[in-house]
Amino acid sequence: MNLSERKLKILQAIIADFIRTAEPVGSRTISKNYELGVSPATIRNEMSDLEEMGYLTHPHTSSGRVPSEKAYRLYVNEMMKKRELTEEEKDAIAAQLHSNVSELEKIVQRAAHILSEITNLTAFAMTPKQDQDTLKYVNLLPVDEHTVVLMIVSESGRVSNTSVHMNRPASEETLRILAKMMTYNYRGKTLSEALTFDIIKSFKADAESMAMFENEIVPNFIKTLEDMLNVNLYMDGLTNIFSIPEYNDLDKAKVFLEMVSRKEDFTRTLINRENGVIITIGNENQNELMQDCSLITATYHVDGKMVGKIGVVGPTRMRYGEVTSVVEYLTDNISRAFMITEGDEDDKD
């Protein structure tokens, strides 16, 4: 790092003060609020050195300094202390995440909401890539004489319901037999394998059931499988930026909103990030619209193999230690919440 212990302490104090206040930090502020054992003049000289080294910048409208991206990177790598969540905070998160939710996508969506509320940032959660997800069962539920709900449940907990219009009424018994045969043929197959499997050839039933199955159910079944292969991205707290001083600048706010509105680009960015807890700051982000932001992502697992991502995006002035702690706790609990709800469902059978 090539920084003396004194320079490191002063830099850490400036970063902490700026994250807290969003105001440029002067030498007198550091001298008054932090017991560093040196005079304001010494602090001022050290701040000048840190500026020359690229760790601080000097806004034209203020005599104080603000941390640079280089400073935040050093802070995250060497200085950041994660804030341990209190037991009350952990209990509150777990209670919200586990409450009356039995589908992975709803758990993930709720996690994004919780993360946004706690951090006051824009949060997001991405469902796992579904290529290797396997089917658990298929059900056909009658609504009225000409409407049936096609339900597909995967091993990861993903549930997809599609309303199917039937040209001819189908009895509950016929639907039960069709669903049982579909489950028998598809259980354990990945979504990709299911799309290439010719169930018509392996299906044995009377001619009337076959006509209904082939013309009305199969096309909807295939379309639903294709939809299930897609990655879903949930975002929460978009309006939080308007309470962040950095986005009082309307041009910056517009760039941020444009960035998050391009969901395909944002999703691609998340998919291409490495697993684990990853923090990218400012120009470290390849997305041009994201180069005034910091992006924190973490991965979660279901059944030890399905991997999705959760995280926040916001200004480079961010409470990195606190945000990282919350993100990590949520990723641990997403998998736990699903295991609990799945166990509850098994108990009902």
Side-chain angles (χ1 to χ4, degrees):
M1 292 182 293
N2 297 322
L3 292 179
S4 66
E5 184 177 349
R6 186 163 68 190
K7 280 185 172 64
L8 283 172
K9 287 182 178 179
I10 291 171
L11 181 60
Q12 187 166 11
I14 292 169
I15 293 171
D17 206 85
F18 184 66
I19 287 175
R20 182 174 58 85
T21 67
E23 295 290 338
V25 184
S27 56
R28 290 190 179 279
T29 299
I30 298 301
S31 176
K32 181 180 178 181
N33 296 337
Y34 300 88
E35 296 180 2
L36 299 179
V38 292
S39 68
T42 301
I43 294 172
R44 195 156 47 246
N45 290 335
E46 294 284 30
M47 289 172 69
S48 295
D49 290 345
L50 288 167
E51 186 174 359
E52 287 183 11
M53 299 169 75
Y55 291 102
L56 298 176
T57 61
H58 197 159
H60 297 299
T61 57
S62 171
S63 60
R65 266 80 163 186
V66 301
S68 66
E69 292 175 10
K70 182 178 180 180
Y72 286 127
R73 173 46 62 196
L74 178 64
Y75 174 78
V76 167
N77 289 353
E78 306 290 343
M79 305 178 193
M80 181 179 76
K81 294 180 180 178
K82 294 178 184 175
R83 183 179 75 80
E84 181 66 26
L85 299 179
T86 65
E87 290 304 315
E88 290 77 11
E89 288 172 323
K90 291 178 180 178
D91 290 344
I93 291 172
Q96 289 186 66
L97 201 60
H98 300 174
S99 175
N100 299 319
V101 180
S102 60
E103 297 175 19
L104 176 62
E105 286 170 349
K106 290 183 179 178
I107 292 173
V108 170
Q109 192 170 3
R110 183 169 288 182
H113 177 68
I114 294 169
L115 183 55
S116 170
E117 280 197 329
I118 294 175
T119 63
N120 292 316
L121 294 168
T122 297
F124 53 83
M126 187 179 74
T127 56
K129 292 179 71 175
Q130 302 294 323
D131 305 64
Q132 297 306 309
D133 199 3
T134 55
L135 271 75
K136 188 172 185 180
Y137 66 85
V138 179
N139 208 349
L140 293 166
L141 307 171
V143 177
D144 55 42
E145 280 193 345
H146 293 281
T147 308
V148 171
V149 172
L150 168 63
M151 175 189 287
I152 303 175
V153 181
S154 73
E155 289 290 349
S156 72
R158 191 165 189 179
V159 179
S160 184
N161 295 313
T162 304
S163 180
V164 180
H165 176 75
M166 310 295 288
N167 290 323
R168 287 173 293 180
S171 69
E172 289 190 22
E173 179 64 13
T174 297
L175 293 174
R176 187 185 68 79
I177 292 171
L178 287 173
K180 188 174 181 180
M181 290 298 295
M182 291 178 77
T183 298
Y184 175 80
N185 281 282
Y186 279 101
R187 186 192 295 258
K189 293 187 182 299
T190 67
L191 300 184
S192 298
E193 288 171 343
L195 282 168
T196 62
F197 180 68
D198 189 352
I199 193 174
I200 300 295
K201 288 184 178 179
S202 62
F203 201 96
K204 295 180 181 178
D206 61 80
E208 186 175 341
S209 296
M210 277 302 299
M212 175 182 63
F213 177 69
E214 186 171 358
N215 297 328
E216 294 157 7
I217 294 176
V218 169
N220 284 280
F221 182 69
I222 292 172
K223 176 65 170 60
T224 304
L225 288 176
E226 290 172 343
D227 290 342
M228 290 179 75
L229 277 169
N230 294 331
V231 168
N232 287 331
L233 176 68
Y234 301 103
M235 304 198 80
D236 206 295
L238 292 177
T239 58
N240 285 346
I241 68 163
F242 296 112
S243 64
I244 299 174
E246 282 84 345
Y247 298 111
N248 289 338
D249 182 330
L250 288 180
D251 288 335
K252 282 190 175 181
K254 285 178 182 177
V255 169
F256 183 90
L257 291 173
E258 182 183 355
M259 180 262 295
V260 295
S261 69
R262 296 184 179 182
K263 279 201 169 184
E264 286 188 11
D265 291 343
F266 195 80
T267 301
R268 195 176 302 112
T269 296
L270 299 181
I271 290 173
N272 290 333
R273 284 169 77 85
E274 295 181 4
N275 292 338
V277 177
I278 305 295
I279 300 172
T280 48
I281 301 167
N283 286 316
E284 295 172 359
N285 293 300
Q286 293 183 354
N287 185 332
E288 187 177 340
L289 296 176
M290 208 179 286
Q291 292 185 346
D292 280 333
C293 301
S294 283
L295 179 63
I296 299 180
T297 56
T299 51
Y300 64 86
H301 297 77
V302 176
D303 291 339
K305 58 183 178 180
M306 299 304 296
V307 179
K309 289 189 172 69
I310 185 171
V312 300
V313 60
T316 55
R317 183 188 63 84
M318 187 183 291
R319 300 189 307 274
Y320 291 97
E322 180 178 332
V323 173
T324 303
S325 295
V326 177
V327 168
E328 288 182 339
Y329 188 73
L330 275 169
T331 57
D332 289 342
N333 272 267
I334 288 173
S335 181
R336 197 173 304 148
F338 177 64
M339 286 190 292
I340 290 172
T341 55
E342 188 180 48
D344 292 343
E345 289 298 316
D346 290 343
D347 291 341
K348 295 176 186 177
D349 293 342

